[in-house]
Amino acid sequence: MNARILLLPGDGIGPEVVAAAVQVLEAIGKKFSHSWTLTSKIIGGAALRQNLPALPDDTLAAAKTADAVLLGAVGDSSFDALPPSSRPESALLKIRKELGVFANLRPARSWPGLEHAGPLKPEVLAGTDLVLVRELLGGLYYGEPRGQDAGAGTAVNTMRYSRPEIERVTRVAFGLARKRRRQLVSVDKANVLEVSQLWRKVVTEIAADYPDVTLSHQLVDSCAMKLAFAPASFDVILTENMFGDILSDEAGAVCGSLGLLPSASLGPGPGLFEPVHGSAPDIAGQGKANPVGAIASAAMLLSDGLGLHEEAAAVTAAIEHALSSGLRTADIMSASGRLVSTTELAAAICAAI
Ligand code: NAD
């Protein structure tokens, strides 16, 4: 295969972890005889520094014509005084919307040897391997009307979903569950919200097309609790935008460092693959960033973006190998681990491939 991959390193540790992920993609290309056409463009603070908008037009155009996009992180405190619509982070919302990536997949798993890295007892975390599918382009974050009435001292946001918006993300979640352990939990607040009642109705109807997948429904508050005391009981979780925003952070946090978490955002065109963490200005440029989130995002790019499942499995196995051999960046360091830099961990993962 020859795939065109657009790299958007962004700000802070973004360039460091994207460079690590590129090394891994190159190792995979060599092993499986694929060639990648890699192009790099600026986004976020890196673009604002050149007096361009946070998402420059040519960056967006390149994203739309790529086969897949790998993003590092955006965010730079020197632009904190700008209005939210002009800050580096505004590029994220815009590129997601422009690419139409409506399904956000956030896997959360316990890596071998890292059962102690998270806040839970190792025996509670053991065996955790779930994917949260979050609807990314609808709901409260986009619904109109919205706004503040300073005079009246009131503010409003609108949670709105249409049947097609629910259907398309539900099909992604069922399709994913089919390739995994065939258990899907749809999360809503149907005891209080009409939007959730529609959500539950549509998900239940679509389940008829996937009789091999077991569907259950759970209220969001109950799901939040269960993620903390029995994370290993979940396979695929499907939910709307805001509930997914909150639950995916919780699911990630129970597994340990933010630096371990990948994500994929999928739609009708090129997918957007990015680690969950931000630009981490406190450790940028010091070789301390954990590259696993970005490298695991590259694995998702291979499988969910390009359909290269064997290649993605090789990346995951190589991450497991490097972590099992005791290599640790500072964020996951333990008494028995060996402290390594971003590039050393990436090199070990490449060597394992
Ligand atoms: P952050 O994720 O950048 O960092 C939070 C903490 O986690 C920091 O202590 C950081 O050192 C650590 N951390 C993050 N990634 C790590 C990694 N790979 N390895 C080791 N440690 C890691 O979140 P923040 O500090 O709240 O935000 C910093 C900037 O990033 C802000 O400008 C924010 O808006 C932006 N941000 C961007 C994204 C994104 O690009 N998707 C996401 C979140 C935050």
Side-chain angles (χ1 to χ4, degrees):
M1 173 185 282
N2 184 351
R4 290 157 303 156
I5 301 174
L6 177 67
L7 307 173
L8 301 178
D11 304 319
I13 61 169
E16 300 166 56
V17 297
V18 167
V22 166
Q23 281 176 20
V24 168
L25 285 172
E26 280 167 353
I28 286 290
K30 206 165 159 194
K31 182 177 164 78
F32 290 88
S33 303
H34 299 304
S35 63
W36 319 122
T37 304
L38 302 172
T39 312
S40 193
K41 294 279 180 192
I42 51 173
I43 191 168
L48 293 172
R49 281 183 197 290
Q50 296 191 19
N51 293 321
L52 291 165
L55 180 63
D57 290 344
D58 80 317
T59 299
L60 178 59
K64 285 184 170 170
T65 53
D67 293 315
V69 182
L70 181 65
L71 191 143
V74 294
D76 182 331
S77 58
S78 46
F79 299 108
D80 277 357
L82 292 178
S85 59
S86 311
R87 283 168 57 163
E89 295 84 346
S90 66
L92 283 180
L93 292 182
K94 191 163 178 208
I95 196 169
R96 289 172 183 160
K97 189 154 195 197
E98 289 283 341
L99 291 178
V101 286
F102 60 83
N104 179 230
L105 276 52
R106 295 232 331 221
R109 57 165 295 188
S110 135
W111 290 97
L114 292 188
E115 294 83 359
H116 295 266
L120 299 184
K121 291 184 193 129
E123 63 270 26
V124 175
L125 185 60
T128 297
D129 179 6
L130 65 89
V131 181
L132 192 139
V133 179
R134 165 189 170 194
E135 200 292 326
L136 200 58
L137 296 180
L140 201 58
Y141 295 176
Y142 291 94
E144 297 284 347
R146 63 184 298 158
Q148 293 197 38
D149 183 335
T154 59
V156 65
N157 289 96
T158 303
M159 185 187 270
R160 183 190 302 276
Y161 269 107
S162 66
R163 181 174 271 275
E165 284 174 311
I166 302 169
E167 272 184 27
R168 62 185 183 175
V169 72
T170 299
R171 291 197 183 278
V172 170
F174 270 109
L176 180 67
R178 220 173 220 177
K179 291 190 225 137
R180 293 173 47 94
R181 301 191 302 278
R182 295 168 187 248
Q183 304 285 329
L184 178 64
V185 177
S186 173
V187 173
D188 59 40
K189 190 71 183 166
N191 55 341
V192 178
L193 301 175
E194 285 78 3
V195 174
S196 284
Q197 287 157 11
L198 176 67
W199 182 277
R200 194 174 278 217
K201 186 168 185 289
V202 173
V203 172
T204 305
E205 283 169 18
I206 289 178
D209 294 341
Y210 301 85
D212 50 327
V213 175
T214 305
L215 169 69
S216 56
H217 300 277
Q218 193 160 24
L219 297 175
V220 61
D221 39 348
S222 149
C223 180
M225 208 163 53
K226 200 165 171 192
L227 272 174
F229 70 71
S233 66
F234 292 101
D235 179 15
V236 178
I237 300 173
L238 164 68
T239 192
E240 63 88 51
N241 201 345
M242 183 181 64
F243 297 160
D245 190 4
I246 298 167
L247 292 179
S248 59
D249 267 26
E250 185 192 357
V254 302
C255 292
S257 170
L258 204 49
L260 296 167
L261 304 171
S263 79
S265 300
L266 307 176
L272 179 65
F273 302 85
E274 50 180 320
V276 166
H277 62 73
S279 57
D282 52 332
I283 56 166
Q286 300 170 35
K288 288 182 180 170
N290 188 335
V292 169
I295 292 172
S297 300
M300 296 185 85
L301 182 154
L302 291 167
S303 61
D304 300 313
L306 304 177
L308 301 174
H309 302 290
E310 196 187 335
E311 290 79 347
V315 176
T316 305
I319 298 172
E320 284 179 359
H321 181 85
L323 294 175
S324 302
S325 68
L327 301 184
R328 301 281 184 267
T329 44
D331 55 312
I332 51 171
M333 187 56 187
S334 62
S336 58
R338 182 157 78 80
L339 187 64
V340 291
S341 67
T342 310
T343 47
E344 286 169 325
L345 185 52
I349 293 169
C350 289
I353 288 169

